[in-house]
Amino acid sequence: MLLSQQAKALAACNALQATLPGQVYWSGSDEYSALSIEAIWSTSCHLTPECVFQPLTVDDLSDGVRLIKGHGSIFAIRSGGHMPNPGAQSVDHGVMISMSSFNSKSLNADKSIASIGAGQLWAEVYNWLSTYGLAVNGGRYPTVGVGGVLLGGGMGYFSGARGWSIDDVVGWELVLSDGSVAQVTTATDDPWSDLAWALRGGHNNFGIVTRFDMRTFEVGGAYGGLVVYNSGAEKQFFNSLVDYMAPGGGSDDPKSAINAVSTLTPVDGGWQYGFFNVYMYAEETPKPRAIENFTSIPEEHIVLDATTLHSSWTAIPNSMAAVGVHGLRQLFWAMTLKADYRIIAITNETFYSGAFNELKDIEGLSLVLSYQSLTRAWLHASKEKGGNLMGLDPERDGGSFAIILIPTWKHAADDDAVLAFVRKSAEEIEAKTRKLGLFNPYIYLNDAASGQKPFESYAGGTHLPRLRNIQAKYDPDGYFRDYLQHGFALGVEEYGRNDEL
């Protein structure tokens, strides 16, 4: 008799509870709600796992993987719960694995390597390291999880000098699909060298990472913070943004970082257009030349200016704790476009003006366009460390924006309409920017939507065959491939599903 997926999940949960008591939480409990609902940012990702399994140690996780696999249950893994793709961190009628107990932090003898548990948030890591006068190049938002950022790439405040976050990862501890534990390093003679290559941007397709080992570096104070602008700043804000990305405009200074965003929100029956930027200069230099394009915007256009000299750089990410939507429905759509005034006009007209016409009746709607700077300095730093799966070239791909189209809304009944609008907007933006030679096919995985195919954009898709071979080597019966609910798989349709585990 074939069991339903729910029955398989229930059997797996019961086995977990019997074998690992105190590590399984059921629907109706406070712990279940905290781990499977409250810890996940977008309500569109609130699913109904049969139970939540929160292993305390890597051995518990190893045993748990064997039990879940033995009962043929589907499962999902949650670190910080930030990726707004349904199924990326939870699962209906399966087992959700919470990584929250993997929160260890330690330094090696000379403090050059920080070993960081995959289940914690970046604020915890930064504040801990700051007591030693050290940092790592992790995520920009303090309330985002370590695991997701480092499995997909990682954009940090220090990327201009250090490249992607994953470029500073030199080791991983992970549980493979048979429950065995691998200690992987980037050493050329490491027996897991193929896994090390795949883990530099390969998402969670190869195992469950429990620990990352990252290079540290010394850092003290910094200048910067959050600035909020009114609609009158539009022209100067976007001019500053494009000028910053031009050679000599500031982005070639590796100590500088910006995080520029435009917003469209409903206010009193109308729409309010605004902007904000979080910039940082990794040195206690007031109003440095690298970001003078932004510091010169007139005061009459500034709603809030929290920039100042900080004795600890951590004040800047910590100030971002309240930024970001938690508790509403949301999706991200990733695109990459050359930094140019024309792409600003195209994205605004297509996304914002289009929403006026097509989404005006969507309750709770707000829109964001995030312009993340992929600078030449950033990509040069990455290339000098050996690069990663993304295969970006400093001259070809540098000077671009990794843009995110971000709608937020209230009701599940509007999910399809919002997704259809965003997909259509992205297609229109691509068509218009392709004609101008300003479109870049690269898709940043951590900001991509369900249905986008980031791996096909990495090095023109040339890495996919090797990635699939490595996956098949370490997951020979296809259990993780077929039963782990992914944000982004490696092409499941080419393999078929294994229902005979």
Side-chain angles (χ1 to χ4, degrees), residues 36-58:
S36 69
I37 301 296
E38 296 165 23
I40 293 177
W41 284 50
S42 174
T43 59
S44 57
C45 297
H46 290 176
L47 305 180
T48 55
E50 199 65 25
C51 69
V52 177
F53 169 46
Q54 183 166 289
L56 300 179
T57 68
V58 68

Side-chain angles (χ1 to χ4, degrees), residues 273-284:
Y273 192 33
F275 313 89
F276 75 78
N277 191 7
V278 180
Y279 49 75
M280 189 184 92
Y281 193 76
E283 188 177 274
E284 290 186 70

Side-chain angles (χ1 to χ4, degrees), residues 146-169:
V146 166
V149 168
L150 293 182
L151 287 171
M155 296 180 169
Y157 289 101
F158 302 98
S159 284
R162 306 197 65 85
W164 298 90
S165 300
I166 53 173
D167 295 326
D168 269 342
V169 177

Side-chain angles (χ1 to χ4, degrees), residues 208-222:
I208 305 175
V209 177
T210 60
R211 190 196 74 236
F212 297 90
D213 301 329
M214 292 189 75
R215 297 185 186 97
T216 65
F217 49 92
E218 293 183 356
V219 63

